[in-house]
Amino acid sequence: MDKNIILIGFMGVGKGRAARELAAKTGLYTIDTDNLIVAMAKKKIRTIFAEYGEPCFRALEQRTADWLRHYVRNTIVSTGGGFFMVNNLRETGRIVYLHSSLDGILSALHSHPKAARKIRKRPLLQDADAARVLYDERLPLYRGVADYEINVEGLDGGEMAGQLIKTLQLQGDDQAPPVLPS
Ligand code: S3P
């Protein structure tokens, strides 16, 4: 297996959490496209949106996708909610859409102890009505580009990883020793 595993889905659905748990269970490495962009631009996502505009952010996503396609193998990639719109995503790896209803996503976000920070860092989640429009627009697009879909509503990160292992038929082991000794 040298294909990457690309996790796509709406903001706040748990792509990063699922990726980290899947890495822990499989021993695969994981990277996150937003983190790659933040490191490369040396700016927070909301600063890039506010000072340079969304098209600039999308161009950085495309650059990240090109890099992934050329240089990254056998890695779990968690993506920003709009990353699925890059060109040639299918050449980057196996694509898994993590699905939840918008109400499920919002209620999990709002009940998180760091809810305010989690919402503040997402420019496209500032207005609930606009977020709903975006969700409805994107749902068929996520489904159109994905190789697999997993319903993750109400699941924690470990359960999402379990579903991913089953769906992608990966070797995973809950009993595997942790990377660092406890
Ligand atoms: C975006 C989702 C965000 C981030 C940016 C744009 C989107 O990532 O990439 O704010 O267009 O849906 P998360 O999905 O991790 O929130």
Side-chain angles (χ1 to χ4, degrees):
M1 207 277 299
D2 76 341
K3 276 194 160 187
N4 298 311
I5 297 164
I6 315 290
L7 304 184
I8 65 168
F10 203 69
M11 291 173 272
V13 77
K15 292 161 290 189
R17 244 178 316 140
R20 289 189 294 276
E21 292 286 348
L22 186 60
K25 287 185 196 300
T26 58
L28 294 169
Y29 282 90
T30 182
I31 53 180
D32 178 89
T33 60
D34 278 351
N35 291 345
L36 292 168
I37 290 170
V38 167
M40 181 167 54
K42 259 179 75 187
K43 302 225 180 270
K44 292 179 180 165
I45 302 286
R46 69 182 149 102
T47 309
I48 300 173
F49 268 73
E51 292 182 8
Y52 301 85
E54 183 173 343
C56 170
F57 179 72
R58 299 300 172 205
L60 291 171
E61 287 193 313
Q62 185 61 56
R63 187 170 159 189
T64 306
D66 295 340
W67 174 77
L68 287 172
R69 196 169 61 253
H70 283 112
Y71 298 114
V72 179
R73 298 287 176 273
N74 206 25
T75 294
I76 304 156
V77 182
S78 57
T79 65
F83 190 83
F84 75 97
M85 293 184 286
V86 298
N87 299 325
N88 306 321
L89 183 64
R90 301 186 63 84
E91 292 166 25
T92 310
R94 297 196 280 174
I95 305 171
V96 188
Y97 166 52
L98 302 186
H99 176 73
S100 164
S101 69
L102 182 60
D103 290 336
I105 291 172
L106 293 180
S107 75
L109 265 180
H110 284 286
S111 60
H112 194 281
K114 291 181 184 152
R117 203 169 86 190
K118 287 192 159 285
I119 292 166
R120 195 171 55 239
K121 75 173 200 181
R122 295 183 160 105
L124 301 180
L125 214 49
Q126 301 308 301
D127 177 313
D129 291 337
R132 199 163 288 280
V133 170
L134 191 63
Y135 179 91
D136 289 342
E137 262 173 27
R138 284 189 178 170
L139 180 57
L141 304 178
Y142 288 131
R143 289 186 159 148
V145 77
D147 298 305
Y148 308 89
E149 171 171 339
I150 297 179
N151 189 342
V152 297
E153 186 153 348
L155 302 188
D156 66 24
E159 291 165 334
M160 292 187 211
Q163 290 297 314
L164 283 160
I165 287 171
K166 234 193 279 170
T167 304
L168 299 174
Q169 299 182 322
L170 303 171
Q171 304 290 330
D173 184 0
D174 264 330
Q175 311 311 320
V179 173
L180 294 174
S182 46

